[in-house]
Amino acid sequence: MVRDPKSQAEQFSRGVRLLEQVRRFGGEPTQFYQSLLEATGLLTGAQLALLMRKSGASNNGWQRVGTWPPEGSPEPGTHAFLRVASDLASAASEKEAAVAPLNGAAGGNTTSYGLALRIEGNAPEDALVAVFYLPGCTEMQTAAALRHLRLVADTPQVYQMRRAAGE
């Protein structure tokens, strides 16, 4: 799958506009995190984005608590991504971020990547990670997507400070 630069630019612009709204959002956490997932999915050019949580009080593993787009992705490589999403979440929860090629070795040609970034949640004892499926990306595009995520990684803290100040 070759990525259309015009479509990518439009998607990125939509993500920036949504992110501006999310950074000023003062509503309920469930809506905040779903909107954040959508904004970061658009910014990264993801085909599918998952928000995963692992409770410190539970040994149940990673639970999917959000999906963007809500209907999921019909992309054929989605199944391979879903199989490794928990592993990516675990790696990112320990190291802040994780990237993995999903269909072979990384290289100059396009491949599919899984990308994950740890984010701050409402409960410090819970690990919260956003995991993204990036089909048809080069290694450079995936690195750029990770840089975009790191630039907005403080958004949950901004949200929490705004909520605390408003209470």
Side-chain angles (χ1 to χ4, degrees):
M1 176 175 115
V2 176
R3 293 182 158 238
D4 173 33
K6 183 179 179 189
S7 173
Q8 282 182 276
E10 290 169 358
Q11 186 175 359
F12 186 84
S13 294
R14 284 192 353 252
V16 168
R17 285 190 305 274
L18 181 57
L19 182 64
E20 289 170 354
Q21 294 170 7
V22 169
R23 290 183 70 89
R24 291 189 304 270
F25 184 76
E28 291 302 312
T30 303
Q31 182 61 42
F32 167 79
Y33 284 105
Q34 187 61 38
S35 296
L36 178 64
L37 190 61
E38 179 179 356
T40 53
L42 290 166
L43 288 173
T44 60
Q47 185 79 35
L48 181 64
L50 307 174
L51 187 61
M52 302 183 77
R53 180 177 61 217
K54 185 174 185 180
S55 175
S58 167
N59 288 333
N60 291 340
W62 291 96
Q63 303 295 315
R64 191 183 315 176
V65 294
T67 303
W68 178 84
E71 65 276 0
S73 172
E75 185 78 26
T78 302
H79 297 294
F81 166 72
L82 293 173
R83 282 193 300 274
V84 300
S86 292
D87 294 337
L88 283 165
S90 292
S93 73
E94 294 174 13
K95 299 185 274 187
E96 186 242 344
V99 178
L102 300 178
N103 57 346
N109 296 330
T110 62
T111 189
S112 294
Y113 284 88
L115 171 61
L117 183 74
R118 182 182 65 225
I119 58 177
E120 298 300 320
N122 290 335
E125 66 277 2
D126 290 350
L128 196 60
V129 176
V131 188
F132 304 89
Y133 173 51
L134 306 172
C137 282
T138 65
E139 199 168 347
M140 285 180 49
Q141 289 170 319
T142 304
L146 180 56
R147 282 193 302 276
H148 295 152
L149 288 175
R150 285 183 167 142
L151 287 172
V152 302
D154 68 335
T155 303
Q157 289 93 343
V158 170
Y159 167 72
Q160 290 169 8
M161 286 188 296
R162 289 178 66 84
R163 283 194 38 104
E167 293 177 353

